[in-house]
Amino acid sequence: MATPVKLSIVYYSSTGTTAEIAKELRDASVKAGAEVRLVKAAELAPRAAIEANPAWAANHAATVDIPEATPEDIEWADAVLFGSATRFGNTSSQLQQFIDTLGGLWAQGKLANKVYSGFTSSALLHAGQETTLQALYTSVHHFGGIVVAPGFTSPVKFVDGNPYGTSHVDGQGTNPVDDTTRAAARVQAERVVRIAAQLKAA
């Protein structure tokens, strides 16, 4: 029997939207047969800033038991899902700081030949979702990684409309993660696990 795909989901979320997508991806990946680590990028913001925003403080408390990501989580994995809210059309500083710690693994060639995919959220419609994912994939190209975006490979993707990855518009917290986003996450997770399994078996 083939060994399961080892999948790390590494995300940063301030007010909880990206965290909710990460959990949907985790559940779908486990259902698809993967062994999953769900980890978060370390928080860089000062405590005062977190406490000044009730949604941020609530998410910070709700996810306190989720381990912080380490480079070993990437070395261990056959596939990696990176998630971040969009920040001026780019990844958050918290996720980027984690990616910047991977230089040692990169220098040893240990980031290459893994499957990578991304997910994101924003407060407003569009608001840099696609450029955030493309910026994330720029790092993957430097790794020598294999980008497995969902594309328009399922009717579900013609509903959510983002071929680069799962994305959600939260409307400053007024639009919770909905069925469209959850369905897109399931398609992405299943595709990542399937392609990673094929590569692992090759």
Side-chain angles (χ1 to χ4, degrees):
M1 180 180 292
T3 58
V5 166
K6 295 181 289 187
L7 171 66
S8 284
I9 302 174
V10 183
Y11 77 92
Y12 174 74
S13 182
S14 55
T15 59
T17 301
T18 310
E20 190 65 24
I21 298 169
K23 291 173 185 175
E24 189 72 35
L25 288 161
R26 175 200 60 195
D27 294 347
S29 299
V30 169
K31 188 174 181 181
E35 180 182 352
V36 180
R37 290 185 183 181
L38 177 65
V39 293
K40 63 188 179 187
E43 182 59 80
L44 303 178
R47 185 74 191 181
I50 297 169
E51 292 176 349
N53 182 325
W56 196 351
N59 179 62
H60 188 74
T63 58
V64 70
D65 292 333
I66 294 177
E68 288 188 356
T70 70
E72 195 274 333
D73 293 311
I74 308 302
E75 183 175 5
W76 168 84
D78 302 307
V80 180
L81 280 158
F82 281 125
S84 171
T86 182
R87 294 288 186 268
F88 300 113
N90 212 323
T91 53
S92 66
S93 58
Q94 289 87 346
L95 183 65
Q96 190 59 52
Q97 192 275 339
F98 171 73
I99 290 172
D100 289 348
T101 70
L102 302 177
L105 292 179
W106 168 81
Q108 299 173 66
K110 292 183 176 180
L111 301 179
N113 305 324
K114 299 176 185 286
V115 164
Y116 296 87
S117 201
F119 58 103
T120 191
S121 63
S122 62
L124 304 174
L125 187 64
H126 308 304
Q129 290 185 346
E130 292 185 352
T131 57
T132 295
L133 293 170
Q134 289 176 325
L136 177 61
Y137 295 152
T138 297
S139 294
V140 173
H141 293 310
H142 282 255
F143 296 168
I146 301 163
V147 174
V148 176
F152 291 111
T153 58
S154 163
V156 166
K157 294 304 296 177
F158 289 89
V159 179
D160 90 293
N162 188 342
Y164 302 98
T166 300
S167 60
H168 184 75
V169 178
D170 77 354
Q172 297 285 12
T174 62
N175 300 324
V177 176
D178 57 13
D179 290 343
T180 296
T181 301
R182 293 182 189 281
R186 289 192 292 271
V187 166
Q188 184 175 18
E190 290 163 4
R191 179 169 165 80
V192 164
V193 173
R194 182 174 65 253
I195 299 301
Q198 291 170 355
L199 290 168
K200 188 170 183 173

